[in-house]
Amino acid sequence: MTCPHCSAVNPATGIYCRACGLDRTAPLIHPHAKLYAVRGIGLAAVAAVVVSTVLTVLGAALALVPGAMAEQAQADRDTDLLQRAYLVELAITGVDVLGMLAAGVLVIIWLYRARVNIDAFPEAQPGMAAGWAIGGWFIPFANFVIPCRVMHQVASASLQHRRVGLFTGLWWAGYVVSFATSQISGRMEPDANTFAAHVAYFDDMLIFGVVEAVGTVLAGFFLVKLILSISGAQTARIERGRAAHVPVVPAAVPSGTISL
């Protein structure tokens, strides 16, 4: 007998699957539960995450440009060139921030929908309400913990995979490194109003940019993996569950015939 949850083959006797441990007789989804489509928004979120990651990496590489401009300004004692270096840095940062905001909005929408969906899974026991998938990102200090917990709950309820915790942890570790680095660098200023201090500032920004890029690549890779895996698993389960609840309509009997 095939388990409806993980498709493992089991003996005809017994209720619980020997592979995933779930009740084989339980429905895949509650018939009247609220469900969201996650495949489309998931693909949009993945695209945005990839674009945002590329922009961050490019931003780290392009940080060499304002640094070189500052060094040239120091050599020429050119304050106008130094100001242009800061404008270049501002443009690079602005593009990076726009990419992160777009990706963040789509990821939050996807996470909320995926979190609502697991309420329809009979065996799921989420510890946090669906609203935390949105609100958890905006509470100071708590936003270093809550989104990760929500993602882990969604992944655990959606995937029969022993590495769910590892993937979630690596995603969150990369995100925290990237976010913390960007926050620290955003508050840094030159130690003094001298050419040497401005050059040192841009050197520090280059280092922070590289660290942020490494964290972003790590977070982006595992976030894309989680989104695609969870979206595919939830979509397949919802489709199978809905098909199981479709009522069987008897074939129409032609007029004038007698059905026994």
Side-chain angles (χ1 to χ4, degrees), residues 243-260:
H245 294 137
V246 174
V248 178
V249 180
V253 178
S255 176
T257 62
I258 300 175
S259 177
L260 298 178

Side-chain angles (χ1 to χ4, degrees), residues 164-233:
V164 163
L166 176 62
F167 292 163
T168 305
L170 289 172
W171 159 62
W172 196 244
Y175 169 77
V176 170
V177 168
S178 176
F179 178 79
T181 304
S182 66
Q183 292 299 304
I184 294 172
S185 63
R187 289 169 171 76
M188 292 184 64
E189 295 181 354
D191 295 331
N193 191 22
T194 63
F195 283 104
H198 290 294
V199 171
Y201 165 80
F202 282 111
D203 289 341
D204 291 339
M205 290 299 99
L206 177 61
I207 295 173
F208 276 98
V210 171
V211 175
E212 181 184 355
V214 172
T216 300
V217 170
L218 178 67
F221 176 81
F222 284 101
L223 180 56
V224 166
K225 189 175 185 65
L226 285 167
I227 291 175
L228 292 177
S229 299
I230 292 171
S231 297

